[in-house]
Amino acid sequence: MNPSITFEEAITRLEEIVKELENGDIEIEKALTIFEEGTRLAKICAKKLAHVERRVEILKKGEKGEDVLELFQGLEED
Amino acid sequence: MDITSGLVTAQKNIYSVFEITKKIKNLLEENFHDVWVRGEISNLRTAASGHIYFTLKDEAAVIKAVLFRGYQKAVPFDLADGMKVIVHGNIDVFEKRGEYQIIIDLMEPEGIGALQLAFEQLKEKLQKEGLFDESHKKKIPAFPDTIGVITSPTGAALRDILHVIGRRYKGIRIVIYPVLVQGEGAAEEIVEAIGIANRRREVDVLLVGRGGGSIEDLWAFNEEIVARAIYDSGIPIISAVGHEIDYTISDLVADLRAPTPSAAAELVVKNKVELLKWSKELIIRLFTTIDRIVAQKKERASFYSVDVLLHRLEVLLNQKNLILDDLTRSLYSCIEAVIIRVRGRFEKTVGQLNALSPLNTLARGFAIISRLPEDTPVFSTTDVNTGDEIKSRLKDGLLFSRIHQIKKLPSNGDKKP
């Protein structure tokens, strides 16, 4: 499988696979084959799900006028 | 001495043309240095110098008028013949031509605000050019990892956006491109920020906006250069200007319009949160359904594939644990209970399958295999090739399958090739 598959593509394919499996009328060989594919897709999705870090950055001008990303400090009111 | 000459010399004050003109000039300019005049524009023309000349008229009279280039910034709308206006300025006498005119420093359309008119004019122009066409609007990504925000770093809009995103979903990166959102230079900064975001290519979607305000406050978002920058952006843009009632040109050009900055943030993360929930559901359903299928079909599995199935299930079980680990670490703890339940069911099923000896299955199973499409009987692994379609006849029906792999067993070769 293409490792650079996007989350949205992975979800779409996973949807198809789950539907096909749930349809029930499928032979075990075929079921396992697409289940294998589904497992790989699930892995991609689960990686995304596990990513919970929120980061807020702000683009500023550096000393030489170049663009610099800095962590945004302001506006924290909570 | 003729009569005429006598009359002339009898007069005490004889002005030169210049002198009388000077007097008229002083009279007019002193008395009419701050006047408002209502009239209709006609004979409108723009000189090469950039100054705009026209005649103001009503039913009974006309007066020449000029709007010098330097004052045109104060007039946001486009002038046109027939337009009824109220102008402010001073009367000026142009000695060399013996003409007077009004020098305009302020100008308003009659019956409608100047900015309102400018808005309508630009809207019509850009509409004709197709800048608002639905067909040009880009799709907002359903799963943005990084969101760009073009707004004031100290404004209410940014506070609202960060608040909403923080509340709904934390797994997202936000890049702020700080700009002025009102006053001199605001439009130029917004245009530049859109350009920078497009060059840096670090965000999946851009929110461009500010909190609510008067039409003057929101004016940068009605500027033509901003509209064109939004139109030209390769990154999809959600406009998020002011409160519900404020509508701007930016709103019309943007790929999506949100009524407020908070709503824009909701739109962006709502999709993401929903997709995440959906993906979780799918993953759980994937594992639930396979254990059901395996449970249903294990007795009907044809004999040649049981060891392959067991091996593959083992491999999958290992991967499944990795996935479930990732899932358990994810945001919604309520899902964890479901995962644990699924894990239990899956492992139980696999356990049952493991308990089935392949020999027992062989003894219980019965199949006659033939190769398709000719329907020729298959006695040996050499009768078929990888990719062939085969038909297995069981006691209660037919199975059609394709050969993925041929593996010869040295101990059980019932026929020599």
Side-chain angles (χ1 to χ4, degrees):
Chain A
M1 189 187 314
N2 182 1
S4 67
I5 186 169
T6 69
F7 185 80
E8 280 166 272
E9 287 162 353
I11 282 284
T12 310
R13 179 66 189 133
L14 192 56
E15 251 172 58
E16 290 168 10
I17 288 172
V18 170
K19 272 186 199 137
E20 202 171 342
L21 288 174
E22 287 177 345
N23 193 27
D25 191 24
I26 185 169
E27 55 178 276
I28 184 85
E29 274 287 329
K30 176 86 196 294
L32 268 183
T33 304
I34 62 173
F35 178 70
E36 262 172 344
E37 188 188 346
T39 309
R40 284 194 294 267
L41 294 166
K43 235 196 275 186
I44 294 172
C45 296
K47 277 262 175 292
K48 287 273 185 191
L49 291 169
H51 179 78
V52 294
E53 184 201 14
R54 184 171 75 126
R55 195 158 46 133
V56 183
E57 290 158 297
I58 185 163
L59 191 70
K60 294 215 163 150
K61 287 279 176 228
E63 282 176 10
K64 291 166 197 154
E66 77 279 18
D67 293 330
V68 186
L69 273 185
E70 288 176 10
L71 273 185
F72 185 64
Q73 307 291 348
L75 276 177
E76 294 301 339
E77 48 181 353
D78 294 355
Chain B
M1 249 188 213
D2 62 28
I3 293 167
T4 315
S5 156
L7 276 173
V8 169
T9 49
Q11 301 296 318
K12 287 274 187 249
N13 293 323
I14 303 171
Y15 298 109
S16 70
V17 174
F18 174 71
E19 283 165 347
I20 189 64
T21 306
K22 190 86 180 160
K23 270 207 166 292
I24 293 168
K25 184 177 170 75
N26 287 342
L27 197 66
L28 289 182
E29 291 183 358
E30 272 166 32
N31 284 285
F32 302 105
H33 66 269
D34 176 20
V35 290
W36 290 94
V37 181
R38 169 188 285 121
E40 186 185 308
I41 294 174
S42 64
N43 297 322
L44 179 73
R45 68 181 184 89
T46 304
S49 56
H51 306 320
I52 296 173
Y53 297 93
F54 57 92
T55 307
L56 265 186
K57 66 170 188 183
D58 57 20
E59 296 77 11
V62 298
I63 182 172
K64 287 185 181 256
V66 57
L67 178 63
F68 287 124
R69 199 172 165 180
Y71 285 100
Q72 286 166 17
K73 269 213 138 171
V75 181
F77 55 93
D78 293 330
L79 306 185
D81 278 333
M83 184 183 278
K84 290 190 166 61
V85 291
I86 297 170
V87 304
H88 176 269
N90 59 282
I91 301 296
D92 169 82
V93 173
F94 187 26
E95 299 96 326
K96 283 196 172 162
R97 288 216 189 132
E99 286 176 358
Y100 65 93
Q101 59 188 350
I102 179 162
I103 311 272
I104 296 170
D105 53 22
L106 271 180
M107 194 161 174
E108 287 259 309
E110 227 193 319
I112 179 175
L115 292 179
Q116 194 57 42
L117 179 63
F119 174 85
E120 298 297 340
Q121 286 175 340
L122 182 59
K123 185 174 152 188
E124 198 186 322
K125 176 179 168 188
L126 298 182
Q127 175 120 45
K128 275 190 191 142
E129 273 189 50
L131 263 74
F132 308 151
D133 285 359
E134 282 300 319
S135 59
H136 180 268
K137 297 201 184 299
K138 291 172 282 298
K139 199 170 151 268
I140 305 299
F143 198 83
D145 286 325
T146 306
I147 298 173
V149 183
I150 295 180
T151 193
S152 159
T154 55
L158 181 60
R159 188 192 60 219
D160 292 350
I161 288 168
L162 293 182
H163 181 70
V164 167
I165 292 176
R167 180 162 51 79
R168 289 293 303 272
Y169 181 65
K170 291 199 190 301
I172 211 153
R173 183 177 160 221
I174 299 168
V175 177
I176 302 160
Y177 303 101
V179 292
L180 278 175
V181 292
Q182 71 186 73
E184 190 78 25
E188 287 78 7
E189 286 196 11
I190 294 167
V191 170
E192 198 195 338
I194 292 172
I196 288 172
N198 272 281
R199 279 197 300 280
R200 292 177 62 85
R201 283 272 153 203
E202 61 204 337
V203 302
D204 304 315
V205 61
L206 275 171
L207 307 191
V208 180
R210 53 155 291 146
S214 66
I215 189 166
E216 287 84 5
D217 292 341
L218 305 183
W219 196 250
F221 297 91
N222 285 325
E223 296 266 14
E224 187 169 346
I225 53 170
V226 173
R228 294 197 185 279
I230 291 175
Y231 185 80
D232 291 338
S233 172
I235 303 170
I237 290 183
I238 301 179
S239 83
V241 181
H243 300 299
E244 281 88 347
I245 49 163
D246 301 318
Y247 231 86
T248 65
I249 297 287
S250 294
D251 290 331
L252 299 169
V253 189
D255 300 299
L256 187 65
R257 185 232 173 193
T260 63
S262 299
E266 289 276 356
L267 279 170
V268 169
V269 285
K270 182 172 164 277
N271 281 338
K272 184 152 183 166
V273 169
E274 248 139 50
L275 251 190
L276 288 170
K277 281 186 181 160
W278 179 230
S279 73
K280 272 178 194 168
E281 195 194 317
L282 283 176
I283 292 171
I284 288 162
R285 274 162 63 183
L286 179 73
F287 287 122
T288 323
T289 187
I290 196 69
D291 77 10
R292 186 178 49 75
I293 289 175
V294 168
Q296 273 177 4
K297 302 251 177 165
K298 64 186 176 199
E299 279 154 26
R300 291 165 55 187
S302 53
F303 65 87
Y304 65 88
S305 60
V306 168
D307 55 341
V308 180
L309 294 190
L310 285 177
H311 175 68
R312 283 167 67 176
L313 266 180
E314 248 174 66
V315 171
L316 290 173
L317 181 63
N318 292 337
Q319 295 190 6
K320 180 197 55 122
N321 286 334
L322 288 176
I323 291 162
L324 293 180
D325 284 347
D326 271 344
L327 265 186
T328 348
R329 271 194 277 123
S330 66
L331 278 180
Y332 307 91
S333 54
C334 60
I335 296 283
E336 286 175 25
V338 184
I339 294 167
I340 291 163
R341 210 170 65 226
V342 170
R343 179 182 285 179
R345 281 182 62 186
F346 189 87
E347 280 164 3
K348 194 167 148 228
T349 305
V350 174
Q352 284 170 352
L353 201 58
N354 276 327
L356 277 174
S357 149
L359 287 176
N360 287 344
T361 312
L362 271 176
R364 260 190 286 135
F366 171 73
I368 299 167
I369 300 172
S370 57
R371 194 183 71 202
L372 295 176
E374 305 89 350
D375 215 15
T376 47
V378 176
F379 299 106
S380 152
T381 51
T382 56
D383 291 335
V384 289
N385 294 310
T386 305
D388 279 354
E389 207 170 83
I390 53 167
K391 181 175 83 180
S392 316
R393 181 184 292 277
L394 308 176
K395 64 180 173 190
D396 57 354
L398 295 172
L399 297 175
F400 295 91
S401 29
R402 194 175 291 282
I403 295 175
H404 291 275
Q405 193 187 5
I406 298 171
K407 191 171 159 194
K408 292 185 180 136
L409 301 174
S411 59
N412 197 21
D414 54 3
K415 260 189 186 173
K416 266 186 67 88

